[in-house]
């Protein structure tokens, strides 16, 4: 998987080291896959890898617009934010699937690690911003992304992984073992969209 994704130039700069995926024991994946799909090999012309700087030109932000409000983010803002995230090592694992036949980002999901002093000074993980492009839904790619990131959170030593989602996606996440907590409420103050 890693052989064809070396960094060749500025646009190929990874947000995090792709070698981290090689630490995952593939027998730990939680889903069943059809048609020889696996999280590390999601399909013909489909490459799963860390976000790269050049993904600004490959429709990464347009894909996120299928999930929520993105706004008008310039390339300069994208680069600044990317570099801030990259500077926080072991924290932001934004993962994408590229359709290499079209040089287009068609799926993404983020694992964020929040370091803690509690729980033996480990970390909790959150899965955020999961989206598969409309034309690519139903091809097991959402499953690939979430399965990969759940396994990664365990490999990275997190004591738990959590996420927030709408009611209609609860069954999707239940496939990986996520459960609604009877004791916890999700609370927020939203300052803007
Ligand atoms: C934490 C967060 O980010 S929550 C936000 C989640 N994202 C969104 O809502 C954005 C819009 N939706 C999407 O991008 C996609 O529909 C996703 C990410 C939810 C699912 O991606 P897909 O690639 O279409 O799903 P995938 O093909 O992997 O489906 C895997 C299985 O889940 C099932 N499934 C897919 N979506 C759902 C759902 N919303 N509810 C229940 N089951 C679902 C499929 O039927 C399939 O079942 P199977 O394995 O028995 O055949």
């Amino acid at each position: 998987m890693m052989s064809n994704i070396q960094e060749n130039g500025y646009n190929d700069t990874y947000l995090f080291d792709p070698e981290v995926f090689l630490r995952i024991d593939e027998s730990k994946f939680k889903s069943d896959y059809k048609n020889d799909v696996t999280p590390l090999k999601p399909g013909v012309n489909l490459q799963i890898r860390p976000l790269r700087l050049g993904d600004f030109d490959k429709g990464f932000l347009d894909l996120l617009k299928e999930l929520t409000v993105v706004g008008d983010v310039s390339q300069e803002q994208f680069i600044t934010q990317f570099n801030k995230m990259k500077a926080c090592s072991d924290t932001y694992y934004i993962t994408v699937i590229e359709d290499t036949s079209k040089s287009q980002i068609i799926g993404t999901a983020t694992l964020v690690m929040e370091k803690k002093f509690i729980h033996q000074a480990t970390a909790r993980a959150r899965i955020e911003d999961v989206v598969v492009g409309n034309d690519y839904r139903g091809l097991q790619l959402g499953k690939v992304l979430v399965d990969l990131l759940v396994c990664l959170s365990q490999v990275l030593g997190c004591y738990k992984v959590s996420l927030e989602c709408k009611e209609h996606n609860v069954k999707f996440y239940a496939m990986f073992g996520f459960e609604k907590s009877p004791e916890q409420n999700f609370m927020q103050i939203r300052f803007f969209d």
Side-chain angles (χ1 to χ4, degrees), residues 33 37 42-43 46 48 97 106-107 132 136-146 172:
Y33 294 93
V37 166
L46 297 179
I48 192 160
I97 299 176
I106 54 91
V132 172
Y136 292 82
R137 290 191 192 155
L139 299 176
Q140 309 179 85
L141 301 178
K143 208 157 73 170
V144 154
L145 285 160
V146 175
F172 173 69

Side-chain angles (χ1 to χ4, degrees), residues 7-68:
E7 292 187 33
N8 297 316
Y10 184 68
N11 276 347
D12 295 334
T13 304
Y14 286 119
L15 183 63
F16 63 93
D17 183 357
E19 297 287 316
V20 75
F21 291 137
L22 299 180
R23 290 168 54 191
I24 296 172
D25 174 354
E26 295 194 35
S27 70
K28 296 278 177 4
F29 289 131
K30 302 203 183 325
S31 297
D32 294 324
Y33 294 93
K34 294 165 257 178
N35 307 326
D36 295 329
V37 166
T38 74
L40 295 175
K41 290 188 189 134
V44 179
N45 295 327
L46 297 179
Q47 185 187 64
I48 192 160
R49 58 168 173 78
L51 181 72
R52 290 200 292 226
L53 265 179
D55 292 336
F56 180 87
D57 294 320
K58 293 187 175 183
F60 174 66
L61 296 181
D62 288 333
L63 175 65
L64 286 178
K65 284 177 186 167
E66 294 190 33
L67 174 69
T68 190

Side-chain angles (χ1 to χ4, degrees), residues 31-34 66-67 108 127-134 136-146 162-173 175-176:
S31 297
D32 294 324
Y33 294 93
K34 294 165 257 178
E66 294 190 33
L67 174 69
T108 185
I127 290 187
E128 299 264 16
D129 303 340
V130 179
V131 57
V132 172
N134 213 4
Y136 292 82
R137 290 191 192 155
L139 299 176
Q140 309 179 85
L141 301 178
K143 208 157 73 170
V144 154
L145 285 160
V146 175
S162 65
L163 58 81
E164 289 138 29
C165 72
K166 297 210 170 109
E167 187 60 35
H168 67 265
N169 282 328
V170 166
K171 275 194 185 152
F172 173 69
Y173 290 112
M175 279 193 305
F176 310 95

Side-chain angles (χ1 to χ4, degrees), residues 48-171:
I48 192 160
R49 58 168 173 78
L51 181 72
R52 290 200 292 226
L53 265 179
D55 292 336
F56 180 87
D57 294 320
K58 293 187 175 183
F60 174 66
L61 296 181
D62 288 333
L63 175 65
L64 286 178
K65 284 177 186 167
E66 294 190 33
L67 174 69
T68 190
V69 177
V70 176
D72 191 12
V73 176
S74 68
Q75 187 160 23
E76 195 184 349
Q77 285 174 307
F78 179 81
I79 292 168
T80 302
Q81 196 75 313
F82 183 102
N83 286 331
K84 282 183 188 169
M85 290 183 188
K86 192 173 168 68
C88 306
S89 62
D90 308 333
T91 304
Y92 293 99
Y93 294 87
I94 303 179
T95 300
V96 299
I97 299 176
E98 177 179 351
D99 181 340
T100 54
S101 70
K102 297 180 179 167
S103 294
Q104 200 185 343
I105 303 303
I106 54 91
T108 185
T110 296
L111 183 78
V112 186
M113 299 261 290
E114 188 182 322
K115 293 179 188 66
K116 297 278 193 184
F117 288 114
I118 59 173
H119 298 286
Q120 303 290 324
T122 53
R124 76 174 283 182
R126 295 171 201 272
I127 290 187
E128 299 264 16
D129 303 340
V130 179
V131 57
V132 172
N134 213 4
D135 296 344
Y136 292 82
R137 290 191 192 155
L139 299 176
Q140 309 179 85
L141 301 178
K143 208 157 73 170
V144 154
L145 285 160
V146 175
D147 209 353
L148 185 70
L149 294 188
V150 168
C151 288
L152 182 61
S153 67
Q154 205 166 5
V155 162
L156 295 172
C158 296
Y159 71 93
K160 74 172 177 185
V161 55
S162 65
L163 58 81
E164 289 138 29
C165 72
K166 297 210 170 109
E167 187 60 35
H168 67 265
N169 282 328
V170 166
K171 275 194 185 152

